Amino acid sequence: SGSPRRPQVTLEGVLKARNWRPRRPPDERGELVPWSLDTALRLALDLVGIPEPADLAAWRAGLFEEGKRRLFPGSIGPLGRDVDGLADVFFPLAGAVVGEQAARGGEAISVRMPFSPLDASEIDGWPSGQEYRRLLAALDRDGLLVTLAMAQQWCGFSIADHVLGVTGLCLWIGRQLGRSVGVDLPLLHGAAVGHDVGKFGCRGDEERRIPWLHYFYTHVWYRAHGLPGLGHIATNHSCWDLEQVRLPMETQLLIYADFRVKDGPAPGGGERMALISLKQAFGTIRDKLADLDEAQLRRYEGVYRKLVDLEDYLLALGVRLDPPSFSSSGKRKPAIPAGIDLVAVMAGGNGQE
């Protein structure tokens, strides 16, 4: 993936800015490498004066629960003074580790397409710009990116790769499409990064129903932060939402990206999160939908055809479907008769240039 990038916020930089002096500093050649979440945990234990145990599993579990509690404070009570104090040090350090991982690079989607805020020029002028700026503050305050990293790196879920893959694909396509039609990038980007935050709100018996309940908890999170516009797009990202007659372009792009970033076959066997073609995604999701009868299968094929139409529209406007270093769609640009203005046709005009 090319030469390593320098992270905007380094682990060493966070320690220096907060005047934190651990007994053992991070060391790229030692045990405390700056791109490991365990390094953030070990440094935090050192800084708050808690002896480091031989097995970090209990502290990992406690911090992951604290991450979910920060996102959904009403879902669980305080986890104890030790966890609270440790988390206040761990989360800033872990946020820097996530940046170090992206700078170092790798094969995981989450380090190939890390979250990076939009430029001011992409935010200003859009109605959702103010909400987007509040979202950035909420991401930092609630530690969503760190909790995504803990879920994947400590608990074995692939949610960080999925969420950041969907977010990166939305932004890649949205920026290109915006040259031809209006795309509210703050709305799209701000909805994509939190579209699955509701999965952390499900507790107890609800965890068995995450595929259905996470939409509700995603709405709860955005509403709690006063982000109704972003939350509307983030919440309505089910493929079944495509059955509606008219949807904002930002909703369609989020559903499209969510469709394409799925578990696929890994080179060494098993599965890993990957950017796959729309056709592959259709089969993958169809096989996972439980007990589809003939009528439901026709419904699913109907929403899939809408995504195919969207993809053809994007290609016709010159949008490249796959970000650099990804190649999965393999689809050619559809033939459009000469002299036809496709954007005008889709807007209801006669399309004659």
Side-chain angles (χ1 to χ4, degrees):
S1 57
S3 58
R5 296 165 293 175
R6 190 66 179 156
Q8 291 182 337
V9 179
T10 65
L11 192 54
E12 185 178 333
V14 170
L15 290 169
K16 185 175 181 180
R18 295 176 181 254
N19 200 26
W20 288 341
R21 296 188 175 90
R23 287 174 298 171
R24 290 188 301 157
D27 180 5
E28 292 188 7
R29 293 178 296 276
E31 185 181 25
L32 296 177
V33 294
W35 51 82
S36 170
L37 279 183
D38 279 352
T39 292
L41 173 51
R42 288 189 166 103
L43 290 172
L45 288 168
D46 180 4
L47 290 166
V48 300
I50 297 176
E52 181 182 319
D55 187 352
L56 296 172
W59 284 115
R60 292 188 194 114
L63 287 169
F64 182 50
E65 285 299 304
E66 171 62 13
K68 292 189 286 186
R69 191 196 68 78
R70 289 183 175 211
L71 292 166
F72 295 95
S75 67
I76 186 173
L79 296 169
R81 195 177 308 168
D82 284 349
V83 173
D84 286 348
L86 183 66
D88 288 340
V89 178
F90 168 78
F91 271 81
L93 295 174
V97 165
V98 170
E100 299 267 13
Q101 291 173 344
R104 187 166 183 256
E107 291 301 314
I109 293 179
S110 53
V111 299
R112 296 170 71 186
M113 290 198 286
F115 181 83
S116 181
L118 297 174
D119 295 333
S121 61
E122 296 177 307
I123 302 172
D124 297 336
W126 287 105
S128 59
Q130 290 186 342
E131 274 195 35
Y132 181 79
R133 293 186 190 280
R134 295 201 301 273
L135 169 90
L136 295 179
L139 292 179
D140 184 54
R141 186 171 57 250
D142 287 12
L144 174 58
L145 299 178
V146 170
T147 301
L148 288 170
M150 287 191 289
Q152 181 156 315
Q153 297 170 37
W154 283 353
C155 304
F157 302 117
S158 55
I159 188 170
D161 280 345
H162 174 72
V163 169
L164 296 181
V166 168
T167 304
L169 184 58
C170 279
L171 191 54
W172 168 252
I173 292 176
R175 279 175 168 155
Q176 296 177 78
L177 183 60
R179 301 170 193 150
S180 302
V181 300
V183 177
D184 187 332
L185 287 181
L187 183 64
L188 176 61
H189 200 229
V193 73
H195 79 278
D196 275 349
V197 66
K199 291 182 176 179
F200 296 120
C202 298
R203 311 290 300 182
D205 289 342
E206 292 178 337
E207 292 182 358
R208 295 184 291 107
R209 301 169 62 205
I210 283 177
W212 300 275
L213 290 178
H214 80 280
Y215 301 105
F216 166 74
Y217 282 109
T218 294
H219 169 72
V220 167
W221 188 82
Y222 277 91
R223 183 184 61 189
H225 290 289
L227 307 171
L230 303 185
H232 177 75
I233 304 297
T235 301
N236 296 289
H237 69 270
S238 166
C239 66
W240 302 117
D241 289 312
L242 288 169
E243 292 184 314
Q244 298 181 47
V245 175
R246 295 181 66 87
L247 286 173
M249 178 57 73
E250 294 79 13
T251 297
Q252 295 182 60
L253 292 178
L254 176 54
I255 294 172
Y256 173 81
D258 192 44
F259 216 81
R260 285 191 57 200
V261 182
K262 298 293 180 193
D263 283 323
E271 289 189 333
R272 73 174 181 187
M273 193 62 62
L275 180 59
I276 61 179
S277 70
L278 195 61
K279 186 176 181 179
Q280 275 183 287
F282 171 74
T284 298
I285 299 173
R286 179 194 57 205
D287 294 343
K288 289 184 177 180
L289 290 173
D291 303 323
L292 283 182
D293 58 30
E294 189 173 338
Q296 291 169 324
L297 183 58
R298 282 199 299 270
R299 283 182 63 200
Y300 178 57
E301 290 171 342
V303 299
Y304 170 69
R305 283 194 296 271
K306 287 192 175 184
L307 288 175
V308 172
D309 289 344
L310 173 64
E311 191 172 74
D312 286 342
Y313 178 61
L314 296 173
L315 287 167
L317 293 178
V319 172
R320 287 176 291 162
L321 300 177
D322 298 330
S325 79
F326 291 89
S327 180
S328 57
S329 61
K331 195 171 180 182
R332 295 183 178 181
K333 180 177 179 178
I336 303 295
I340 295 295
D341 183 343
L342 185 60
V343 174
V345 171
M346 297 300 289
N350 61 25
Q352 298 297 319
E353 293 182 346

